[in-house]
Amino acid sequence: MNKLLKILENNARLTNKEIAVMLDKSEKEVEKDIKLLEDTGILRGYKAIIDKDKAEVETVTALIEIKVQPKYGHGFNDVANRISQLEEVESIYLMSGGFDFAVMVNDKSFQEVAMFVANRLSPLEGVVSTATHFILKRYKEQGVIFSDEFKDDRGIVSLC
């Protein structure tokens, strides 16, 4: 992977000056390279990774597996594009295995996710079935570990 992309992926808050030092380039070259990555659509955005438990955000994340019947001549793209347009959908991936797509829905209540699946996702043309899984705890996301330290809460067991 391009060194600049790797640096931005690890810490998008670095200044162009800091990145220039890391790449042994001028600040102007880095600025130009970043602009090119943005203009060509290689660099799609910058996003913070938030520990929602620590931020006391009372929402859930759901991973929804979807089985579809693709349209002849369109493959999975037609159904994927329609699902992508739904505002609740944060991410959608074509998968191998028992289901065709995996969809991530974030920052909703259990009820909102249930109503989204029942009223908006399942009725879409081509959707055959869904399976919804709720994320109970995040341990690591996008390479970032969420627990400050591992705490063994199993207790002490004595066999004597």
Side-chain angles (χ1 to χ4, degrees):
M1 183 188 297
N2 179 312
K3 286 181 182 180
L4 175 57
L5 287 175
K6 192 68 176 167
I7 289 169
L8 291 171
E9 187 176 46
N10 289 328
N11 186 356
R13 293 192 63 189
L14 292 172
T15 66
N16 289 351
K17 184 176 183 177
E18 292 169 322
I19 295 170
V21 169
M22 295 168 81
L23 295 175
D24 195 28
K25 289 185 168 189
S26 73
E27 197 172 337
K28 280 286 188 202
E29 285 177 300
V30 169
E31 183 179 333
K32 180 182 163 195
D33 291 346
I34 291 172
K35 174 118 176 66
L36 179 64
L37 291 169
E38 291 170 341
D39 291 347
T40 57
I42 294 170
L43 190 53
R44 296 288 183 152
Y46 305 87
K47 194 169 184 177
I49 300 170
I50 299 167
D51 187 331
K52 296 193 179 158
D53 290 338
K54 284 188 178 180
E56 298 179 2
V57 175
E58 300 270 338
T59 60
V60 298
T61 297
L63 183 142
I64 305 164
E65 296 174 312
I66 306 170
K67 194 175 287 192
V68 301
Q69 179 63 51
K71 279 188 177 178
Y72 179 77
H74 296 275
F76 292 103
N77 293 340
D78 185 49
V79 179
N81 288 334
R82 283 188 281 124
I83 293 170
S84 296
Q85 298 305 311
L86 299 172
E87 65 187 54
E88 295 87 350
V89 174
E90 179 179 291
S91 305
I92 179 171
Y93 307 98
L94 180 62
M95 305 296 292
S96 63
F99 287 85
D100 301 309
F101 294 115
V103 168
M104 296 297 291
V105 174
N106 274 320
D107 298 329
K108 302 291 179 199
S109 68
F110 283 105
Q111 185 68 21
E112 287 172 319
V113 172
M115 291 299 97
F116 164 69
V117 172
N119 298 330
R120 300 198 53 193
L121 186 61
S122 293
L124 284 177
E125 181 184 344
V127 172
V128 175
S129 67
T130 65
T132 303
H133 309 276
F134 290 98
I135 306 300
L136 301 177
K137 180 173 176 60
R138 283 178 170 80
Y139 293 97
K140 185 175 183 179
E141 185 172 305
Q142 296 182 29
V144 176
I145 294 175
F146 275 63
S147 62
D148 294 328
E149 63 181 70
F150 177 73
K151 294 179 183 162
D152 187 351
D153 60 355
R154 293 177 292 174
I156 298 173
V157 177
S158 175
L159 299 174
C160 296

